[in-house]
Amino acid sequence: MSIFGLDVKRIHESIRSQLDDILTESHEVRGISKGYEIRQRYTRNIDGEIEEIFVKKGDYSVSLYINSNGIYTVTINKDGKIEAKELSREELEKIIKDILSTISG
């Protein structure tokens, strides 16, 4: 049987299922929606889960860092000015809703 005839996801799952411990697992998506460049990275390791979201259009970008341990930060770059701060859960939810409404239908 040729390796080219095998399903890539099946190969991945077959090997992954044999691991005793998974030290780090990650997944990254990059794309464009409504002219916005989007990068989304999910990482899981022994310390928890991390979601990183980056949205950029022209001179404006938003970068979110979300840690399952309760650490949420945002960095906004607008017109060359950079603002970074820690977020409350409510602020994080609002920014995520804003991002979703901006890049969707």
Side-chain angles (χ1 to χ4, degrees):
M1 173 188 278
S2 167
I3 192 161
F4 299 109
L6 295 177
D7 181 272
V8 172
K9 182 147 179 86
R10 201 165 95 204
I11 294 168
H12 170 79
E13 291 300 327
S14 295
I15 292 173
R16 185 183 184 282
S17 68
Q18 298 303 311
L19 300 175
D20 294 328
D21 291 315
I22 297 174
L23 303 176
T24 301
E25 183 172 6
S26 65
H27 175 76
E28 183 172 332
V29 176
R30 292 176 181 226
I32 304 288
S33 178
K34 305 224 185 275
Y36 288 88
E37 174 189 347
I38 312 294
R39 280 184 276 160
Q40 181 180 17
R41 181 183 303 135
Y42 167 83
T43 304
R44 179 176 60 154
N45 59 34
I46 58 175
D47 296 323
E49 296 174 298
I50 297 168
E51 180 77 18
E52 296 170 273
I53 303 168
F54 176 78
V55 179
K56 182 179 190 307
K57 186 172 187 175
D59 291 339
Y60 179 77
S61 67
V62 174
S63 181
L64 287 173
Y65 176 87
I66 306 159
N67 187 309
S68 63
N69 296 329
I71 298 170
Y72 318 123
T73 62
V74 64
T75 302
I76 299 171
N77 185 340
K78 184 175 181 180
D79 301 325
K81 295 180 182 177
I82 299 173
E83 175 189 354
K85 68 176 189 173
E86 233 178 271
L87 300 171
S88 69
R89 184 178 184 93
E90 294 78 22
E91 290 171 312
L92 172 66
E93 289 175 0
K94 182 186 179 320
I95 290 173
I96 292 172
K97 286 179 185 175
D98 289 346
I99 289 170
L100 288 171
S101 70
T102 299
I103 65 173
S104 65

